[in-house]
Amino acid sequence: MIPAKYKTLLFAFVLVIYQLPQKIVAQNYEHLANNLHKQIQKHFYLPRGVYYREFADSVAPQHKVSYLWSLCALWQADNEMEKLLPRGNLLRKDFSVIEKYNDNAAPAPGFDSYPGEFKKEDRYYDDNQWIGLTAMDAYKRTNQQFYLNVGEKIYRFMMTGFDTVSGGGLYWKEGDKSTKNTCSNGPGIILALQLYQATKKQTYLDTALMLYGWVNKHLEAPTGLYYDNLKITSNTVAKYQFSYNTGTMLQSNVYLYECTRQQKYLNEANRIADASLNYFYAKGMFRDDYWFNAVLLRAYQQLLKYNPDKRYILAFKNCVDNALHNDVNANGLMGKTKSLNLVAQGGMLEILARFAWMQKMHYF
């Protein structure tokens, strides 16, 4: 028989061991990123038409080339790759494809979800915003006016999706006034703040604060995460909770702290990070799509500047390593049991490139 006091000590010891971080798997993330990038170019790029395909095995024959959303994922990933390979010239190659989706229709120029030479489809505010965010990241990194011009173009387009119905906020899709979504307001806040940092124009900060207040009023969940959208006609909320929506709102708070130095925004960022860690990464496996998680990783990485606690990054890393172990197919692409589109491949490429950079900076 073990005396009661020793049972208590043994239980405490086991509890401490259980709570220790999982063993950090040794990965060369730069090598992994370079390999995935090579496979994406091999299996998705269509040099004759200067496009990318949506699926490597063409399981979507009704669409000859990829949607804009896929290029949003790839362009951001390639921005992170250019940080690793400064002379790679990846972004301009990507943008030569993105330009084929351009649509100068009133009320403002923007990018269609599918290239008009094949089929006229809708313009989504969030698709355009993802392009704008990458452009502004590239501007901050390179100081090239070209990227600032793209960011400003996207801002003008996204603001055509704003009205005062339901108290403000941006719609999700041009010509469709049925929903206002976190995915079209969260990145809108970030884009406005990036432009404010670049230009110091008060209009951009005012826009960011206006959109930020609207999202928190209508779409913040009691858990500290964020719901998907507000249905305008019924004034009801679609309560899906995706990692990318939480990611844009977490990152919005970090940017607001940078722009205003008000501690409340950093406190809010830390609170959202805690809530997201428990919900999305506690089980060591991704709950939703790779690209959705890449957007949340952007926020975690930026938060590291002000909160050195690495538990968010390390929990995320466990999920990455799990995916690398279980979900890489024979072609070196993500998707072992089912074909994944370019959005997913671009999402994982961005994740690997960001981890490669953090590995170089000795974050783990």
Side-chain angles (χ1 to χ4, degrees):
M1 295 288 292
I2 302 175
K5 65 177 181 178
Y6 293 116
K7 284 184 178 180
T8 301
L9 289 172
L10 180 61
F11 174 77
F13 176 76
V14 171
L15 183 62
V16 168
I17 293 297
Y18 176 77
Q19 290 178 338
L20 287 174
Q22 294 184 23
K23 182 180 179 181
I24 297 175
V25 178
Q27 300 273 23
N28 184 334
Y29 290 104
E30 183 170 354
H31 172 76
L32 292 165
N34 285 329
N35 185 63
L36 180 55
H37 187 271
K38 184 185 301 182
Q39 298 308 316
I40 289 172
Q41 295 303 312
K42 177 180 178 180
H43 294 283
F44 285 86
Y45 186 57
L46 300 169
R48 292 182 181 178
V50 198
Y51 280 102
Y52 285 85
R53 68 172 89 231
E54 185 71 9
F55 286 89
D57 54 6
S58 299
V59 297
Q62 69 274 24
H63 286 93
K64 296 182 179 180
V65 300
S66 76
Y67 288 101
L68 180 66
W69 185 21
S70 295
L71 298 180
C72 297
L74 181 63
W75 208 36
Q76 184 68 55
D78 278 348
N79 181 67
E80 304 312 312
M81 290 297 292
E82 277 198 6
K83 289 174 66 176
L84 298 173
L85 306 166
R87 293 183 294 276
N89 198 32
L90 304 174
L91 291 192
R92 290 305 182 102
K93 174 187 174 183
D94 293 343
F95 198 77
S96 69
V97 181
I98 293 169
E99 283 182 312
K100 296 176 181 294
Y101 296 67
N102 187 63
D103 184 344
N104 288 325
F111 295 99
D112 288 329
S113 60
Y114 199 71
E117 72 170 279
F118 297 108
K119 182 181 179 184
K120 179 72 172 78
E121 296 200 10
D122 300 302
R123 295 196 292 188
Y124 289 80
Y125 298 111
D126 64 328
D127 285 0
N128 280 265
Q129 289 161 340
W130 304 122
I131 297 295
L133 299 190
T134 302
M136 294 307 298
D137 283 350
Y139 175 71
K140 187 173 184 178
R141 182 171 57 81
T142 67
N143 202 35
Q144 293 180 23
Q145 183 68 32
F146 169 81
Y147 296 113
L148 179 59
N149 293 344
V150 173
E152 291 175 329
K153 169 184 175 175
I154 299 301
Y155 176 85
R156 288 190 293 271
F157 173 70
M158 86 173 190
M159 292 311 293
T160 67
F162 176 85
D163 65 20
T164 57
V165 174
S166 298
L170 297 165
Y171 292 102
W172 179 43
K173 181 169 63 172
E174 187 177 38
D176 181 350
K177 297 187 182 296
S178 61
T179 66
K180 293 185 176 181
N181 296 44
T182 304
C183 74
S184 52
N185 284 274
I189 298 166
I190 296 172
L191 178 58
L193 292 171
Q194 288 176 313
L195 286 165
Y196 174 73
Q197 286 183 333
T199 67
K200 301 306 178 187
K201 292 181 180 178
Q202 185 65 31
T203 300
Y204 294 131
L205 180 57
D206 292 343
T207 295
L209 290 169
M210 176 178 60
L211 297 177
Y212 177 85
W214 185 88
V215 175
N216 282 308
K217 178 179 179 180
H218 293 280
L219 293 172
E220 184 179 9
T223 59
L225 305 180
Y226 286 84
Y227 295 135
D228 189 67
N229 69 76
L230 175 69
K231 299 182 187 302
I232 301 303
T233 54
S234 62
N235 198 36
T236 58
V237 172
K239 295 187 176 181
Y240 315 114
Q241 296 178 64
F242 298 117
S243 53
Y244 77 140
N245 286 331
T246 293
T248 58
M249 293 307 296
L250 198 168
Q251 194 173 20
S252 292
N253 278 284
V254 180
Y255 270 114
L256 279 167
Y257 174 71
E258 290 180 350
C259 293
T260 69
R261 291 297 161 177
Q262 293 185 35
Q263 184 65 33
K264 65 179 181 180
Y265 295 118
L266 186 56
N267 293 343
E268 182 69 1
N270 288 322
R271 186 192 65 77
I272 297 170
D274 287 341
S276 65
L277 179 65
N278 293 332
Y279 185 77
F280 291 110
Y281 305 118
K283 295 183 179 180
M285 297 177 61
F286 289 125
R287 288 181 68 108
D288 51 16
D289 297 345
Y290 294 134
W291 180 82
F292 285 10
N293 287 280
V295 176
L296 183 46
L297 179 59
R298 300 172 194 176
Y300 283 167
Q301 187 176 353
Q302 192 168 345
L303 182 61
L304 273 175
K305 297 178 184 178
Y306 312 104
N307 178 354
D309 191 339
K310 297 183 176 66
R311 61 196 172 100
Y312 313 113
I313 294 296
L314 293 179
F316 196 106
K317 182 182 184 301
N318 285 336
C319 299
V320 176
D321 293 339
N322 185 300
L324 292 171
H325 182 72
N326 294 298
D327 198 33
V328 177
N329 66 29
N331 291 328
L333 296 166
M334 303 309 298
K336 192 170 185 178
T337 59
K338 67 175 182 178
S339 180
L340 297 180
N341 65 3
L342 185 56
V343 176
Q345 309 299 339
M348 182 53 81
L349 179 60
E350 178 183 344
I351 288 169
L352 294 177
R354 288 183 180 277
F355 267 90
W357 179 258
M358 288 188 283
Q359 197 168 45
K360 280 190 171 184
M361 297 297 105
H362 304 291
Y363 283 119
F364 50 83

